[in-house]
Amino acid sequence: MTPLPSTNKAEIPLLQVRDLTVQFPSAKSEQFKAVDGLSLSLGHGETLALVGESGCGKSATALAIMRLTRKPGIITGGEVLLEGRSLLELPEKELQLLRGGTYSMIFQEPMTSLNPVLKAGFQVTEGIVRHKKISRKEAEREAVRLLEQVGIPSPRERYHAYPHQLSGGMKQRVMIAMALACRPKLLIADEPTTALDVTIQAEILELIDRLKSELEMSLILITHNLGIVAERADMTMVMYAGRVMETAPTATLLANPLHPYTRGLLASLPQNSPPHTRLPTISGGDSCNGWDGNGCPFSPRCPGSDGPCRTARPDLVEAETGHMVSCWKAPRP
């Protein structure tokens, strides 16, 4: 096991994940690993970006850290420590005191994450009342301020609206307000701006940046937008088939990607191709879901794969200082 190095060496990391494994039933096999032996470390005030194509295990990792893995999925191994406390061993009642307060999550699907029979404002207020020692009236005023902060027009009116009366973008903003309501130490943001237009995206990201700075809040950012990653992430972790393919300080990874999958992702960006040319693609079919081979899961799509790539799993090793990669062809210590 090789944990992700924290960029702040002077203190104990806020979050430590060691050898996390999440499994789901599969038609191909009895169980497949949606997350396969993942380790990471995140310090106070740091931002870690999780990137990779759909189905690679990013959201499954986030839900496991929150201990919200949906059945039939189960966490079958590993450890998750938040400020030294094991989240996987805590009783549910104690965990509920932490969720939404000490750490919280912006979920990817606002349509299914809000309670359809409760008013939007009540759902924001509920978390504030649970975690802060203030009256309900004060919590309601705080909720209205939050709705205004995340860009909802006429926040007092929207406070009394039901989710079906709000647009998809407004639902997304209500979820963001809920996640930020108690100023958590750790925020997990799973595609937090997918339903928003470009202007509102920028406003939401600036709000998260401001709170992150004010509170020294740590952030795990799940996104497909490598522009956001380049601007905001201290560290970037590239996932494929539930495994970590490469992880490094963001500037290092973008300037010198060592894994062929990372190079393929970066090559497919429009700004990296000449005008009026076909965008490069990663050949082969998606093998992200339920990889059960013995070798590197990317080997069926990798132009440089050979015998060892198809028969043995490469360990995640530190090829350069702070730069780890799981590839037989990458530099090895």
Side-chain angles (χ1 to χ4, degrees):
M1 178 193 72
T2 308
L4 174 69
S6 169
T7 58
N8 190 339
K9 303 293 184 181
E11 59 185 18
I12 297 173
L14 174 69
L15 177 71
Q16 293 174 290
V17 178
R18 298 171 181 159
D19 287 338
L20 181 65
T21 299
V22 180
Q23 293 186 324
F24 285 81
S26 168
K28 296 180 181 178
S29 59
E30 186 176 343
Q31 295 281 333
F32 83 83
K33 295 177 180 179
V35 181
D36 189 0
L38 180 141
S39 297
L40 63 84
S41 177
L42 184 65
H44 294 266
E46 294 178 353
T47 297
L48 167 68
L50 296 184
V51 301
E53 60 198 77
S54 297
C56 71
K58 304 185 300 297
S59 295
T61 298
L63 290 170
I65 291 172
M66 294 295 295
R67 222 174 86 183
L68 292 173
T69 300
R70 299 183 180 98
K71 292 184 177 180
I74 54 173
I75 299 171
T76 57
E79 150 175 76
V80 178
L81 302 176
L82 182 66
E83 296 185 316
R85 301 179 70 184
S86 175
L87 298 182
L88 301 186
E89 296 178 357
L90 281 180
E92 182 62 29
K93 285 187 178 180
E94 291 185 37
L95 198 62
Q96 288 176 5
L97 296 176
L98 294 177
R99 279 200 214 109
T102 304
Y103 76 134
S104 62
M105 181 170 174
I106 300 170
F107 295 92
Q108 189 174 11
E109 295 292 341
M111 301 292 288
T112 58
S113 299
L114 295 175
N115 191 322
V117 300
L118 296 177
K119 293 180 179 179
F122 177 85
Q123 297 187 57
V124 179
T125 302
E126 188 177 30
I128 299 173
V129 171
R130 174 185 287 267
H131 296 286
K132 291 185 176 182
K133 295 180 179 179
I134 60 176
S135 68
R136 181 161 287 276
K137 283 190 176 181
E138 289 175 308
E140 289 176 358
R141 287 195 290 269
E142 176 67 19
V144 171
R145 283 196 295 270
L146 279 163
L147 294 176
E148 184 176 19
Q149 274 188 309
V150 297
I152 292 182
S154 305
R156 292 186 184 277
E157 295 176 20
R158 298 294 188 274
Y159 180 96
H160 298 286
Y162 288 95
H164 74 272
Q165 296 173 311
L166 302 174
S167 68
M170 284 190 185
K171 290 186 182 76
Q172 184 76 33
R173 281 173 269 179
V174 170
M175 282 206 322
I176 293 169
M178 290 169 63
L180 297 176
C182 296
R183 298 179 170 243
K185 294 182 181 180
L186 170 64
L187 176 66
I188 301 174
D190 191 356
E191 296 283 357
T193 59
T194 48
L196 308 178
D197 62 44
V198 174
T199 302
I200 299 300
Q201 281 185 28
E203 292 176 1
I204 293 300
L205 291 170
E206 286 170 8
L207 170 64
I208 293 174
D209 286 344
R210 187 173 74 249
L211 286 174
K212 183 175 177 294
S213 177
E214 290 175 2
L215 305 173
E216 203 182 20
M217 183 173 70
S218 301
L219 176 66
I220 295 178
L221 179 63
I222 298 172
T223 182
H224 292 282
N225 190 328
L226 292 177
I228 293 175
V229 171
E231 293 173 359
R232 288 177 164 80
D234 301 303
M235 301 287 295
T236 297
M237 174 178 284
V238 180
M239 296 183 65
Y240 188 83
R243 301 179 185 179
V244 178
M245 297 288 103
E246 184 171 4
T247 184
T250 299
T252 300
L253 184 138
L254 295 178
N256 183 32
L258 298 179
H259 198 282
Y261 179 57
T262 308
R263 291 197 292 267
L265 291 177
L266 294 175
S268 66
L269 296 175
Q271 61 265 36
N272 291 336
S273 296
H276 311 297
T277 60
R278 186 182 293 273
L279 290 177
T281 60
I282 299 174
S283 63
D286 173 24
S287 61
C288 258
N289 293 307
W291 169 259
D292 56 5
N294 294 319
C296 172
F298 188 63
S299 60
R301 305 175 69 184
C302 180
S305 66
D306 55 20
C309 303
R310 301 186 184 100
T311 58
R313 173 180 176 172
D315 292 329
L316 186 68
V317 298
E318 192 167 33
E320 301 170 355
T321 302
H323 192 159
M324 289 184 282
V325 62
S326 175
C327 178
W328 290 116
K329 301 300 181 66
R332 304 182 76 81

